[in-house]
Amino acid sequence: IAKKMKDRDLETVIVTGDKDMMQLVNEKISILDSMKERRIRVPEVRERFGVDPERVPDVLALAGDSSDNIPGVPGIGEKTAIKLLQEYGTLENLLKHSEKIPGKLGEKLRQSEKEAILFKELATIVTDAPIHFDFKNFQLKEPDGTALKELFTELEFHRLLSELAPEKTLST
C-alpha cells in the first residue's frame, strides 16, 4: 500500500501512538499521535531515535521493545543502540564490525548476532504485502442512511441513532 500511495503522490497520515510505526515515516507519510496531539515527520523521528526512520527497527532490535516482546541484545539500552547505529549505520554493519567493539559490549553483540537479526525482522513492518484495493472505494460520499439506521439499531448504538440525519433522509 505504501508504494501505491507514493506512486500516486498522496500524502498519508497514520493515526497512532505506536513508536514502531515511525519506521514508515518519509516525505509523504507522517504520523499523528492523537494521545500527545503532535505530528511526527522525519525530523521528529530523528529527534526521538537519533537515526532515520528506516533505522528504527535496528534500534528496536538492539535495545528491545517490551510492547512487542522483543528482548533486544542483553545489556544494550536505547541510548547505546542509538550511539552504535550513529557510528556504524546499520545493524548488519555493526555486527559485521563487532570485533572492533571492545569489552563486554562487543562480546554481547557477537554472542547475540543471530538473535539481533531475528529481532530486527520482528520489529520491521512488512510494507510489500499483496493488498489490492481500488482508490475509488475511498472517495467520500454521502452515507446510506437506511443502512446506517439498520446497523445502529442492530448494534444498539442509541446515541448514534439519535445523531443520524432527519427521518426524510433515512426513508427509502
Side-chain angles (χ1 to χ4, degrees):
I1 290 178
K3 181 175 178 1
K4 285 185 180 184
M5 301 297 236
K6 192 170 183 176
D7 289 348
R8 291 182 64 107
D9 199 34
L10 296 174
E11 181 179 351
T12 304
V13 179
I14 301 169
V15 180
T16 183
D18 188 347
K19 69 180 182 234
D20 300 5
M21 299 297 268
M22 289 187 190
Q23 65 190 273
L24 301 176
V25 171
N26 61 34
E27 68 280 352
K28 290 290 182 184
I29 300 173
S30 63
I31 291 175
L32 174 62
D33 184 341
S34 58
M35 299 298 283
K36 296 179 181 174
E37 296 184 14
R38 68 183 183 121
R39 192 75 166 263
I40 300 168
R41 293 182 174 89
V42 174
E44 288 79 15
V45 175
R46 287 181 185 138
E47 181 182 320
R48 166 66 177 84
F49 282 105
V51 295
D52 286 335
E54 61 270 12
R55 297 280 67 92
V56 169
D58 299 52
V59 174
L60 299 176
L62 289 167
D65 184 0
S66 60
S67 65
D68 288 331
N69 294 317
I70 298 172
V73 174
I76 295 184
E78 194 171 288
K79 287 180 183 179
T80 302
I82 290 168
K83 181 180 170 204
L84 289 168
L85 291 168
Q86 286 173 338
E87 184 173 345
Y88 290 93
T90 67
L91 175 64
E92 293 77 9
N93 194 47
L94 168 65
L95 295 172
K96 182 178 174 183
H97 295 96
S98 64
E99 73 283 347
K100 295 179 182 178
I101 299 169
K104 293 227 182 253
L105 180 59
E107 188 179 315
K108 288 176 186 178
L109 281 168
R110 289 185 289 278
Q111 288 173 348
S112 302
E113 184 173 337
K114 288 180 183 173
E115 291 87 353
I117 296 295
L118 172 64
F119 299 156
K120 180 177 178 177
E121 184 179 337
L122 293 172
T124 301
I125 296 171
V126 175
T127 59
D128 60 352
I131 299 171
H132 304 286
F133 64 95
D134 186 344
F135 279 96
K136 288 182 242 161
N137 294 333
F138 293 91
Q139 292 178 346
L140 288 178
K141 58 184 175 186
E142 286 296 316
D144 180 342
T146 304
L148 280 177
K149 183 176 181 180
E150 289 173 11
L151 179 65
F152 292 169
T153 301
E154 176 186 341
L155 298 175
E156 299 180 13
F157 289 172
H158 302 293
R159 193 182 101 241
L160 292 175
L161 261 172
S162 69
E163 293 175 9
L164 279 177
E167 272 308 304
K168 63 180 181 176
T169 328
L170 299 175
S171 59
T172 52

